[in-house]
Amino acid sequence: MNNTVILSGAKNLLGVNIDHIATLRQARREEEPNPVKGAKVVEEAGANSIVCHLREDRRHIQDKDLFLLKERLEIPLNLEMAANEEIIKIALKVQPYQVTLVPEKRKELTTEGGLDVRGNFQHLKETIARFKKNGILVSLFVDPEISQIKASQEVSSQFVELHTGSYANEKGEERKKELKKIKEMTELAISLGLRVNAGHGLNYKNVIPIAQVPGIEELNIGYSIIGRAIFVGLEKAVKEMLKLIKEEIP
Ligand code: PXP
């Protein structure tokens, strides 16, 4: 995809994370299921972007997948990655539409918390400048906390992706509190000139209140969609999620 196409200001977009198609492939180190083929099915089903995470341990997505995704996709590629030099160099070669910088621990099952932007201020500022110089949009995956959002603006990120994991894990009143936090932090981020995405732990049962938060542009969802695809097929799993986030919003 040509990176000059800018999707600015649109709302209720769906980015589908295809990592777990590759997780299944890597279980046997075979060619199938192929995440690039999967990404094309997701694109055809109407999703707005493809998200994947090149992890340092290469447990799912491999370097060659990225180059093929960049070559074959018509919709934007959003590359999740740690701000580590090896991965930064690969990302600068691939030239995705967007990078989302995430914290990464080798032993975690999935990205557990948001980035500590304050604690890694100088390194993130320099890394963001390198991507921006190359025409790549930058997003920081952060917990919905005032200090991290202010720091994201200070390091000149264009986007924040608000971590919805706590919202997804809580129930009842606690979930309502998390939702309120996400609403308030979306407002704060926008008031500071940042654009806002959200994701992690979202599924067919909990996504609507997040999709209804004014100002969030794109939801990045992986595990629940790929899991449902086993039962209903990938195209239908994507379409069902699109229907929830685009059509059931008043
Ligand atoms: N956004 C970010 C930054 C992530 O790290 C992940 C997990 O890879 C997701 C969204 C998608 O989370 P889930 O797979 O729980 O939908």
Side-chain angles (χ1 to χ4, degrees):
M1 186 207 138
N2 180 342
N3 279 357
T4 54
V5 180
I6 301 291
L7 296 174
S8 163
K11 300 288 184 284
N12 294 333
L13 302 176
L14 173 64
V16 177
N17 183 312
I18 56 161
D19 289 350
H20 297 308
I21 301 178
T23 302
L24 196 53
R25 176 190 63 187
Q26 294 310 108
R28 286 284 173 95
R29 309 274 193 279
E30 304 266 356
E31 291 300 313
E32 297 288 341
N34 183 316
V36 182
K37 260 196 232 167
K40 291 302 286 181
V41 173
V42 168
E43 178 178 271
E44 198 61 25
N48 304 99
S49 70
I50 297 295
V51 186
C52 66
H53 186 171
L54 185 69
R55 294 187 77 101
E56 289 165 34
D57 63 9
R58 307 299 198 276
R59 69 175 74 157
H60 37 55
I61 294 294
Q62 306 296 306
D63 304 33
K64 66 171 190 219
D65 298 324
L66 293 182
F67 290 95
L68 288 172
L69 285 167
K70 166 68 188 180
E71 189 187 304
R72 299 200 183 155
L73 287 176
E74 309 281 333
I75 54 176
L77 173 64
N78 179 355
L79 174 60
E80 282 179 25
M81 52 175 279
N84 123 345
E85 191 55 32
E86 186 216 352
I87 308 285
I88 293 171
K89 287 209 175 98
I90 295 168
L92 288 171
K93 274 197 208 139
V94 173
Q95 294 273 313
Y97 176 80
Q98 178 162 32
V99 291
T100 298
L101 301 179
V102 302
E104 192 174 304
K105 295 188 209 108
R106 287 203 171 218
K107 290 208 175 120
E108 69 191 357
L109 291 177
T110 179
T111 315
E112 280 165 3
L115 266 182
D116 180 6
V117 186
R118 279 258 170 260
N120 295 283
F121 196 89
Q122 200 50 36
H123 176 60
L124 286 173
K125 198 172 159 94
E126 286 163 18
T127 304
I128 291 167
R130 286 169 75 186
F131 283 121
K132 285 168 85 172
K133 210 170 117 203
N134 282 273
I136 299 169
L137 286 174
V138 182
S139 180
L140 302 181
F141 186 50
V142 293
D143 290 323
E145 285 171 12
I146 295 173
S147 72
Q148 297 299 347
I149 288 164
K150 287 192 172 161
S152 298
Q153 188 239 5
E154 290 164 29
V155 291
S156 303
S157 185
Q158 289 130 317
F159 278 82
V160 283
E161 178 175 332
L162 297 180
H163 195 319
T164 50
S166 299
Y167 161 84
N169 290 336
E170 295 294 354
K171 295 203 170 53
E173 283 309 304
E174 288 306 310
R175 178 175 281 185
K176 281 191 195 148
K177 275 191 213 156
E178 291 297 329
L179 180 62
K180 185 164 174 278
K181 224 196 261 178
I182 287 167
K183 282 185 188 152
E184 288 169 358
M185 292 305 107
T186 300
E187 279 173 26
L188 172 67
I190 291 172
S191 76
L192 294 172
L194 289 158
R195 294 168 65 186
V196 182
N197 295 333
H200 211 284
L202 297 177
N203 60 37
Y204 297 85
K205 292 200 174 124
N206 66 20
V207 74
I208 288 181
I210 297 290
Q212 287 173 330
V213 173
I216 293 182
E217 294 189 25
E218 185 163 74
L219 301 180
N220 291 326
I221 307 178
Y223 187 73
S224 61
I225 294 176
I226 305 304
R228 181 142 179 82
I230 291 172
F231 298 102
V232 303
L234 187 53
E235 183 185 348
K236 190 155 187 279
V238 171
K239 285 189 168 155
E240 285 177 1
M241 187 60 84
L242 278 167
K243 187 164 168 15
L244 289 177
I245 72 175
K246 288 190 196 276
E247 290 176 18
E248 295 198 7
I249 308 300

